[in-house]
Amino acid sequence: MNDITSPPLQQALAAPPEVPAHEQPERKASAWLGAPAHAEAAPAASDIDHMLHAWIARFTGTISPASLAMAFFDWVVHLQISPSKQQELLTEAGSRFARLGLYALCCAQFGRPPCAPVSPLPQDRRFDDPAWQHWPFNVISQSFLLNQQWWHRATFGVRGVAAHHEDVVTFTMRQLLDMAAPSNFIATNPVLLRHTMQTGGANVLQGAAQFWLDAMHHLSGQRPPASDLYRPGMNVAVSKGRVVLRNRLMELIQYEPTTPKVHALPLLIVPAWIMKYYILDLSPENSLVRYLVGQGHTVFMISWKNPGRKERNLGMDDYRRLGVMAALGAINAITGQEKVNAVGYCLGGTLLSIAAAAMARDQDDRLASISLFASQVDFKEPGELSLFIDESQVAMLEAAMWQQGYLDTTQMAGAFQLLRSNDLIWSRLVNQYLLNQPDVQNDLMAWNADATRMPYRMHTEYLRHLFLENDLAEGRYLIDNRPIALTDIRAPIFSVGTLTDHVAPWRSAFKIHLLTDTEVTFLLTNGGHNAGVVSPPGKANRHYRIATREHRAAYVDPETWMNSVPEQQGSWWPAWEYWLARHAGEMVAPPAMGQALGDAPGRYVMES
């Protein structure tokens, strides 16, 4: 089967030739990157630096020791010249020690005193079991919590420490404390101790054997065994459709209609390339694609290729040209419609925003509306991921990617796990290998384990020009060697933020109000970056807020917005679909399907 579309469709697309961005004369690496980040652009002598940094990255998990050292040096020096802060910490330590001593005395005398000196944070479930309320484990847990609280005070609020360094030091100390938490050890965890006594220690032997098997499976590069329960094309990514376009970077899937009539304007979904596309087409009951098709929308989805070494020099502009722009051309040709609604999720939303701004600059008005799910266009406050992004960290990541040609799946997954190490690392290890409780698998968890790589050049450009320099928000981002501005966008925008998002914080996503000059509807839903977006109707404990700012209306800050917009119960999908339908045109007969290059879910989603 050919990997190209039919000749008529090729002519209709009129897409730019597949020339990698680094080969285009107007986008030279030296001008775009501003530093010898690429092996091809750098002098041979710098290869030694890259090799040394890459070698160090192997042992540090791509964490820059220089970045950590600078952060702790900044904190220690300023703490040393802050006698009032030192006095405050000494007084606080004495007070906490006295409170713990009094609590321990009461526990020894009365068994269970009426109240503890400090309570865990609401999201900390490590000490929920009633066994933690009995001697001596109540004293052990209180000692840890008081110590944790004191270290937060010690690392936070030291005058003169740079904000980024303060965040890094606070985060690092939290990781060390979580590692040493009493819940991680049999002798200090009453639940583990009881289970070990009941099994005669068999749980330890079974856990060690299972840990060895999992470690060998991981080192072999195979998928986690549990994720085999959910495989694309079997019980996830099963919405019927066909691949209608394939190039070196993506496949475009067109889904079959399920209603006798459909909205005239088609819908393009641009997912993030950091993971497989099927988070939006999970099992049928959780599939956004199935929901949209059922509401009469003609849906197209980009499925990104999982890049390897030979894609190392594909850049951000390649993703724009061979992804968004090529998909728009194909959709225009297949459906005969000039206008297209577009959705971008996470990084896909950032890419869609870049493409939309470039199209607006060039008088290309094919986008009827733009929807952004948990996406950022301003990276001034990018959330906890900024802990891993400064000049030193980016240089370390560049070296690791320079050597292998891509960012490996385990490197990015490790960063996300560290952000929630208590839940995703330590508690999980305890449950799996000491309590012998296997992970409860679902479609979202299986998708989360099905990670992808990222090309060296693209990720370098993404980190430097978006995270470090914030070029997109500040009008310096170049497309075809000319800057683009988000204020040029005139298509109406629907932006979704998720309340507990640690990847794209909702207040950061809310900045779309400041950066565009068009009508913006903002919706805030409960949940995190992934679970908040996957919110089909009928699921319990779902709620959201929604409000529209008309074009040229006065700005409302996020706190005022939060306090003034009423909460509504249920899934946010129907509210968004109602908005989308208003921009999708009248109901017509479904368009013909494009020429099939294969059935959905396609070839690229299967690549590991």
Side-chain angles (χ1 to χ4, degrees):
M1 183 173 291
N2 295 327
D3 286 356
I4 56 174
T5 55
S6 62
L9 181 54
Q10 284 183 317
Q11 294 174 3
L13 292 180
E18 289 185 18
V19 179
H22 71 287
E23 295 177 6
Q24 297 179 40
E26 69 274 15
R27 297 190 66 241
K28 297 177 181 177
S30 59
W32 178 249
L33 295 177
H38 295 275
E40 293 79 8
S46 70
D47 290 359
I48 300 174
D49 298 343
H50 282 85
M51 287 188 286
L52 177 59
H53 293 168
W55 181 79
I56 295 172
R58 288 186 179 183
F59 296 95
T60 64
T62 68
I63 299 296
S64 169
S67 181
L68 283 178
M70 287 187 292
F72 273 88
F73 180 78
D74 190 3
W75 171 67
V76 168
V77 168
H78 283 93
L79 184 60
Q80 290 298 314
I81 60 175
S82 302
S84 60
K85 181 69 174 181
Q86 295 177 36
Q87 181 62 41
E88 175 190 328
L89 293 174
L90 286 172
T91 303
E92 186 81 14
S95 172
R96 291 173 187 278
F97 185 78
R99 289 165 62 192
L100 181 63
L102 182 61
Y103 178 74
L105 184 63
C106 291
C107 287
Q109 186 172 0
F110 302 110
R112 295 182 65 182
C115 61
V118 61
S119 299
L121 294 172
Q123 67 269 23
D124 189 350
R125 311 300 300 273
R126 288 173 291 188
F127 308 112
D128 282 358
D129 194 284
W132 283 102
Q133 305 305 317
H134 298 285
W135 170 270
F137 304 107
N138 45 12
V139 176
I140 292 172
S141 62
Q142 282 297 303
S143 175
F144 170 78
L145 292 172
L146 286 166
N147 191 36
Q148 183 184 55
Q149 197 176 72
W150 185 88
W151 272 107
H152 178 76
R153 299 277 179 87
T155 57
F156 191 80
V158 179
R159 288 179 61 85
V161 179
H164 176 68
H165 288 164
E166 181 179 74
D167 291 340
V168 169
V169 171
T170 301
F171 175 80
T172 303
M173 293 310 301
R174 188 170 80 235
Q175 300 305 310
L176 294 175
L177 288 168
D178 283 345
M179 188 187 306
S183 55
N184 297 338
F185 305 97
I186 293 176
T188 54
N189 185 331
V191 179
L192 288 179
L193 190 60
R194 180 178 61 210
H195 186 67
T196 302
M197 294 178 66
Q198 290 173 346
T199 62
N203 62 315
V204 178
L205 295 176
Q206 293 171 0
Q210 186 60 50
F211 180 83
W212 175 259
L213 289 175
D214 290 347
M216 293 299 100
H217 202 88
H218 175 75
L219 291 174
S220 68
Q222 301 177 36
R223 286 168 56 97
S227 67
D228 287 337
L229 298 173
Y230 297 92
R231 300 301 296 267
M234 294 176 57
N235 43 17
V236 292
V238 294
S239 295
K240 290 187 177 181
R242 61 178 64 172
V243 176
V244 294
L245 173 68
R246 180 183 294 122
N247 59 38
R248 64 183 301 200
L249 195 51
M250 68 89 172
E251 292 178 325
L252 182 66
I253 300 171
Q254 180 183 6
Y255 292 96
E256 294 181 3
T258 60
T259 56
K261 289 194 173 183
V262 299
H263 290 280
L265 300 192
L267 177 68
L268 168 64
I269 301 179
V270 185
W273 54 85
I274 190 174
M275 302 294 281
K276 302 289 180 67
Y277 82 86
Y278 64 90
I279 186 174
L280 300 175
D281 187 26
L282 293 170
S283 52
E285 65 273 14
N286 290 330
S287 171
L288 178 62
V289 169
R290 181 172 180 267
Y291 175 78
L292 289 170
V293 172
Q295 300 299 313
H297 293 278
T298 301
V299 179
F300 291 81
M301 174 81 75
I302 288 177
S303 173
W304 299 106
K305 180 177 176 59
N306 194 1
R309 283 182 178 273
K310 64 182 181 180
E311 287 83 27
R312 64 177 292 129
N313 285 316
L314 291 175
M316 283 287 292
D317 201 53
D318 294 304
Y319 275 78
R320 181 188 68 88
R321 293 183 312 105
L322 300 177
V324 177
M325 302 311 295
L328 286 174
I331 295 170
N332 295 149
I334 292 169
T335 65
Q337 292 290 337
E338 181 182 349
K339 295 279 189 175
V340 176
N341 292 302
V343 180
Y345 177 31
C346 186
L347 295 182
T350 305
L351 181 66
L352 176 61
S353 300
I354 292 171
M359 292 170 69
R361 181 199 65 189
D362 298 336
Q363 309 300 313
D364 183 344
D365 62 351
R366 283 181 290 169
L367 293 180
S369 73
I370 299 169
S371 298
L372 306 174
F373 297 167
S375 299
Q376 297 179 99
V377 292
D378 185 307
F379 291 81
K380 189 79 173 179
E381 299 168 326
E384 291 183 318
L385 275 179
S386 63
L387 292 164
F388 303 99
I389 300 176
D390 55 30
E391 187 62 45
S392 179
Q393 279 292 160
V394 170
M396 185 67 69
L397 271 173
E398 284 178 343
M401 294 188 296
W402 169 84
Q403 187 175 63
Q404 59 194 15
Y406 52 82
L407 182 69
D408 196 6
T409 57
T410 57
Q411 293 165 326
M412 183 58 71
F416 284 117
Q417 288 178 336
L418 280 175
L419 295 178
R420 295 174 54 205
S421 61
N422 178 22
D423 295 327
L424 299 181
I425 299 178
W426 306 114
S427 294
R428 190 176 179 185
L429 289 176
V430 167
N431 290 333
Q432 277 191 284
Y433 302 119
L434 291 176
L435 290 176
N436 304 124
Q437 297 175 356
D439 276 342
V440 178
Q441 286 295 309
N442 57 41
D443 51 2
L444 187 57
M445 293 178 66
W447 165 85
N448 194 57
D450 194 10
T452 59
R453 297 173 290 273
M454 286 185 282
Y456 163 56
R457 181 184 180 87
M458 182 282 300
H459 202 52
T460 293
E461 293 175 349
Y462 171 73
L463 292 176
R464 287 198 171 277
H465 293 283
L466 296 178
F467 264 95
L468 283 184
E469 299 171 15
N470 206 21
D471 284 347
L472 179 59
E474 298 178 11
R476 294 187 301 270
Y477 196 92
L478 303 181
I479 295 294
D480 297 330
N481 211 31
R482 292 185 294 150
I484 59 172
L486 295 168
T487 51
D488 289 340
I489 297 173
R490 293 294 178 266
I493 294 174
F494 193 106
S495 179
V496 177
T498 56
L499 195 59
T500 57
D501 198 330
H502 60 280
V503 177
W506 77 267
R507 289 174 179 83
S508 182
F510 191 86
K511 290 182 179 181
I512 194 72
H513 290 88
L514 291 170
L515 297 169
T516 56
D517 189 17
T518 186
E519 174 194 291
V520 175
T521 299
F522 190 80
L523 184 146
L524 178 63
T525 182
N526 66 319
H529 188 70
N530 298 325
V533 171
V534 181
S535 181
K539 283 203 171 183
N541 303 317
R542 302 286 178 163
H543 54 83
Y544 63 92
R545 290 175 166 87
I546 182 173
T548 297
R549 187 206 69 180
E550 301 295 338
H551 185 217
R552 302 192 185 285
Y555 171 70
V556 177
D557 67 273
E559 304 309 323
T560 302
W561 187 94
M562 174 77 132
N563 294 327
S564 61
V565 177
E567 184 177 282
Q568 302 186 44
Q569 298 300 313
S571 165
W572 62 269
W573 285 8
W576 170 63
E577 194 280 325
Y578 175 78
W579 178 91
L580 181 66
R582 287 167 36 212
H583 300 282
E586 61 183 358
M587 303 300 287
V588 298
M593 298 288 289
Q595 179 181 349
L597 302 178
D599 292 332
R603 178 191 304 173
Y604 286 169
V605 74
M606 301 298 184
E607 295 178 347
S608 59

